Every structure is written in structure tokens, then in C-alpha cells.
């Protein structure tokens, strides 16, 4: 069995579900080069593109979540669930996996439920501090649940729960460098306090507006800003704002490790994988959670850090009153910055992927 392991991976909808699944598959592949993988995703979602790009085979289910905004759209949901269960059953029966790993998202529900019904051992990885409904449901049949936050047992009663962190991009762990060198490499003054703002690949309108309104004050204070605008606002912002050596406006940052290294303070949304990367960077962070994430889980993620004094938080609706004062409080207090960095270390889990895979293999008594 050890020589030809077969594994079903399922997770998708967002990068936060997809990339941990790919990272876990890559780690298993490293230990078992002949292992075979079958990813199960949702048609029309980003996993159908990202998984093949990473070299893995994927089957798409015609599944969607419950639409609370438009109840009429849910008429076909029972049929979608039934057809997804049937397709998942066919794929899993043909593939004959040794075990299955789910990282959340629409497709992991039918995929892992079906796997467990067919007697396949299943494992769940939960990225957020508020467990998703799919993962809570699946955990009842799981051999173990792996979490990125402590004290998650309350969601997964009776199932073995391990606080091991989120699998993140390898280069974030390996390529972090000295702050002054990183600033010089980016053409910034190595002696000036530098703020990095990241709002995801599409960007954050809230963060972009926050910077637009307060850029004069940032300039006046002599701070440097690396501002990742995202695709949506980049054209408007780069043409309407005067570029200077101290304000760098970028649509996208390809070398995140370099940007994290250069930063003295980071302003970010509070997605699970973003927070896991920020914890690795160990830089003081101001979180502005995306309020429309399902069940407002970004606010819950942020609060977990705030409660340990590892981050400050400003809500979307508080941006006008609180963004600049909170940011300046961090910028102007070096002791606070040192304390926040030290407290962030609790959430830094550089070996998350390796430890998750080791625990799976241990549970199933598979030696690598």
C-alpha cells in the first residue's frame, strides 16, 4: 500500500481552501513520489484552473452553496446535491483512495461525505477561527481535524483536534530577509518606517479609499508605503495619485516574501491564509476584516489575534474615524510594535504542512 498511495483531495471556492489542499498534496508527493491524487472541486470555481496548473487531476461537481440573498436560486440545490453525490461516488469508487483530505468549500461536503460512506478514512483541515459548517458536519466522520487556531475543540466535539497551523506558500517561510536589505532592493530608504498594504489579488476598495484619504498625512509623517491596490482600482489610482519614491503603488506583488521583509507594519484583510503568512512575517499588523465573508469569519480571525495583542483591528464601518489614529498609534510606538511582533509568534506555524501529513500517516500507520 505504501508504494502506491492514492489520495482524494477536496477544497475550493477560494484560494484559502485550494492552496492548503495543494500544499498537503505536494508534501505527500515529496514523501511518496509514486502517490496518485484525485482532486474533487466545484465546476466554475477557481480550483478547476489552479489545481491542473499545479500538476494534479481534478473532477468538477455541479455544486453550489445555499444562496441567502436570492432564495429562488436555491430551487435547483437539492438536484445539484444529488448529482454531486452520485458523481463523487462514481469517481471515488473508480479511484479507490487510501484516504481523503478536505480543506473546506462547496465540493468538499459531497466528496468527503461520500468517501466516508464508502469506508475511506477522511481528514479535515480548518483554516479559520470560526469553523465552517461543511467542516463541522464532516468532522463527525473524520479521523482527525487540523486547525490553525487554538481551542477549536468546541466545534469538533469528540473528534481528535490538532492545532498545527495553515499550510502556506513555502517561499514565505524560506525567503524572508533582512528589512533594510529588502527596502534597498525595492528602491526605498532603508532607514524610514515602511508600511505595506495588501488587499488580495482583486484588492480592497475599503483599504484603497483609506489610503487615498490619508496619503497626505502619511507623506507628512515621512513614512514609506508599499500599496498593493489590486486589479480593480489600479488604473484609477496610479493615474490620479502622484508617484514618489516613498509611495509605491502596485497592482500585484509577486514577491510577497520581499514585501513582508521590507515592511515595518502591515495593513491587511483578515483571510485565514493571509493571517498565517503575516504570523510568519512577525510584523505588527493592522487588520481590516472583509465584512461580507461567510459568517463574518474574517472578523473572528482578527479578534483571535487582537485578544492576544498580536494585532489591531479596524472594522470597515469604522474606517473614517479609526483607521488613521490606529495606524499612527502603531507607527509611533516602537514598544507596542515589538510586543505585537512577539505575540504574533504564537500563531506562526512554519511546519504546518509537514506536521499535518505526519499526523495523517501516523493515524493510518503508514510509514514513509
Amino acid at each position: 500500500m505504501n508504494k502506491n498511495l492514492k489520495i482524494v483531495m477536496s477544497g475550493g471556492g477560494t484560494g484559502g481552501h485550494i492552496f492548503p489542499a495543494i500544499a498537503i498534496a505536494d508534501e505527500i508527493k515529496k514523501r511518496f513520489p509514486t502517490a496518485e491524487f484525485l482532486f474533487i472541486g466545484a465546476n466554475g470555481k477557481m480550483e478547476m484552473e489552479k489545481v491542473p496548473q499545479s500538476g494534479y487531476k481534478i473532477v468538477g461537481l455541479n455544486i453550489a452553496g445555499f444562496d441567502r440573498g436570492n432564495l429562488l436560486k436555491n430551487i435547483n440545490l437539492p438536484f445539484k446535491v444529488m448529482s454531486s453525490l452520485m458523481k463523487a461516488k462514481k469517481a471515488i469508487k473508480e479511484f479507490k483512495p487510501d484516504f481523503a483530505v478536505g480543506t473546506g468549500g462547496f465540493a468538499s461536503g459531497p466528496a468527503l461525505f461520500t468517501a466516508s460512506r464508502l469506508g475511506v478514512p477522511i481528514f479535515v483541515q480548518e483554516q479559520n477561527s470560526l469553523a465552517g459548517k461543511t467542516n463541522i458536519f464532516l468532522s463527525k466522520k473524520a479521523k482527525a481535524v487540523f486547525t490553525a487556531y487554538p481551542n477549536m475543540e468546541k466545534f469538533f466535539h469528540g473528534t481528535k483536534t490538532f492545532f498545527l497551523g495553515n499550510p502556506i506558500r513555502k517561499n514565505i517561510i524560506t525567503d524572508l530577509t533582512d528589512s533594510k536589505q529588502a527596502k534597498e532592493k525595492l528602491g526605498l530608504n532603508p532607514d524610514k518606517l515602511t508600511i505595506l498594504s495588501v488587499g488580495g489579488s482583486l484588492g480592497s476598495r475599503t483599504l484603497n479609499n483609506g489610503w487615498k484619504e490619508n496619503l497626505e498625512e502619511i507623506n507628512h509623517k515621512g513614512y514609506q508605503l508599499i500599496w498593493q491596490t489590486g486589479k480593480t482600482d489600479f488604473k484609477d489610482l496610479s493615474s490620479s495619485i502622484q508617484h514618489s519614491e516613498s509611495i509605491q503603488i502596485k497592482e500585484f506583488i509577486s514577491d510577497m516574501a520581499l514585501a513582508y521583509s521590507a515592511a515595518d507594519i502591515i495593513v491587511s484583510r483578515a483571510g485565514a491564509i493571509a493571517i498565517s503568512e503575516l504570523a510568519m512575517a512577525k510584523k505588527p499588523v493592522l487588520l481590516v476584516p472583509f465584512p461580507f465573508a461567510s459568517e463574518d469569519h474574517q472578523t473572528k480571525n482578527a479578534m483571535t489575534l487582537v485578544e492576544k495583542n498580536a494585532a489591531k483591528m479596524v472594522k470597515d464601518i469604522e474606517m473614517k474615524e479609526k483607521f488613521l489614529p490606529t495606524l499612527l498609534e502603531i507607527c509611533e510606538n516602537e514598544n507596542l510594535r515589538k510586543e505585537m511582533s512577539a505575540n504574533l509568534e504564537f500563531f506562526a506555524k512554519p511546519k504546518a504542512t509537514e506536521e499535518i501529513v505526519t499526523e495523517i500517516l501516523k493515524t493510518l500507520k503508514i510509514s514513509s
Side-chain angles (χ1 to χ4, degrees):
M1 177 171 123
N2 294 7
K3 278 181 187 166
N4 278 311
L5 278 181
K6 288 185 164 192
I7 302 103
V8 160
M9 304 292 309
S10 186
T14 67
H17 295 313
I18 298 162
F19 297 122
I22 291 169
I24 292 167
D26 286 347
E27 179 61 25
I28 297 169
K29 190 88 175 157
K30 201 168 99 183
R31 300 190 200 189
F32 299 91
T34 59
E36 291 176 54
F37 295 85
L38 177 67
F39 277 70
I40 298 178
N43 283 327
K45 297 293 180 184
M46 68 188 283
E47 60 264 31
M48 301 309 291
E49 181 190 329
K50 298 293 179 190
V51 169
Q53 280 173 3
S54 301
Y56 295 107
K57 185 183 166 192
I58 188 164
V59 168
L61 306 180
N62 187 25
I63 187 72
F66 186 80
D67 193 326
R68 288 176 180 81
N70 185 347
L71 295 178
L72 280 175
K73 280 190 176 175
N74 299 307
I75 288 171
N76 291 326
L77 193 59
F79 303 104
K80 286 182 175 179
V81 171
M82 288 308 296
S83 74
S84 294
L85 287 166
M86 284 162 66
K87 191 169 182 182
K89 187 176 181 180
K90 185 174 184 289
I92 292 166
K93 269 188 154 180
E94 283 175 9
F95 187 62
K96 297 184 177 68
D98 295 297
F99 61 92
V101 182
T103 56
F106 302 140
S108 68
L112 265 77
F113 174 73
T114 302
S116 72
R117 290 289 296 268
L118 293 170
V120 177
I122 67 167
F123 297 86
V124 169
Q125 198 264 328
E126 172 57 62
Q127 300 93 36
N128 293 292
S129 65
L130 176 71
K133 285 187 167 62
T134 302
N135 280 348
I136 292 170
F137 169 70
L138 292 171
S139 71
K140 295 175 175 67
K141 302 284 183 189
K143 293 279 184 190
V145 178
F146 307 111
T147 73
Y149 291 88
N151 311 316
M152 295 287 285
E153 296 82 4
K154 60 189 176 207
F155 296 108
F156 307 115
H157 302 294
T159 305
K160 262 198 231 169
T161 305
F162 298 89
F163 167 42
L164 298 179
N166 277 324
I168 60 170
R169 292 176 283 187
K170 267 277 180 281
N171 69 310
I172 300 296
I173 300 164
T174 56
D175 295 355
L176 292 168
T177 59
D178 171 75
S179 182
K180 286 196 170 190
Q181 283 179 354
K183 285 176 191 176
E184 282 173 352
K185 207 169 174 183
L186 288 166
L188 294 164
N189 184 329
D191 300 314
K192 281 188 175 183
L193 185 132
T194 302
I195 304 160
L196 166 67
S197 175
V198 280
S201 55
L202 292 176
S204 157
R205 179 73 40 90
T206 300
L207 287 183
N208 290 342
N209 288 341
W211 290 118
K212 232 165 47 172
E213 285 163 26
N214 296 293
L215 216 49
E216 210 173 302
E217 185 66 19
I218 299 299
N219 261 325
H220 175 67
K221 293 276 184 187
Y223 301 145
Q224 297 177 133
L225 173 64
I226 306 165
W227 177 5
Q228 183 250 332
T229 65
K231 205 174 186 174
T232 320
D233 291 346
F234 177 70
K235 256 188 189 161
D236 284 350
L237 290 169
S238 57
S239 59
S240 63
I241 289 166
Q242 203 174 347
H243 288 244
S244 67
E245 279 179 18
S246 58
I247 308 287
Q248 294 193 356
I249 299 176
K250 298 171 184 286
E251 179 182 336
F252 181 75
I253 298 171
S254 52
D255 191 345
M256 279 309 299
L258 183 67
Y260 286 147
S261 299
D264 297 297
I265 295 159
I266 300 171
V267 178
S268 173
R269 286 301 203 185
I273 302 303
I275 284 183
S276 294
E277 291 190 355
L278 294 168
M280 281 306 308
K282 297 185 188 70
K283 300 293 174 79
V285 61
L286 171 56
L287 296 169
V288 183
F290 178 60
F292 305 109
S294 61
E295 298 177 78
D296 198 19
H297 68 251
Q298 286 206 9
T299 301
K300 309 287 192 307
N301 290 347
M303 280 309 300
T304 309
L305 271 66
V306 170
E307 282 160 11
K308 284 207 177 288
N309 198 24
K312 295 279 182 191
M313 178 178 85
V314 172
K315 293 184 176 179
D316 257 46
I317 53 166
E318 304 170 331
M319 280 294 282
K320 277 202 184 313
E321 303 81 40
K322 292 189 179 177
F323 180 62
L324 187 63
T326 311
L327 180 66
L328 294 181
E329 182 194 353
I330 304 168
C331 292
E332 290 165 7
N333 188 335
E334 196 180 342
N335 287 335
L336 173 65
R337 294 204 301 275
K338 282 179 180 168
E339 193 184 337
M340 288 168 79
S341 292
N343 292 338
L344 254 183
E345 198 150 353
F346 175 74
F347 297 94
K349 300 284 182 183
K351 294 192 180 303
T353 314
E354 292 93 321
E355 288 176 2
I356 288 167
V357 171
T358 297
E359 207 51 61
I360 291 171
L361 298 175
K362 202 165 104 183
T363 303
L364 298 176
K365 296 182 170 62
I366 299 169
S367 53
S368 51

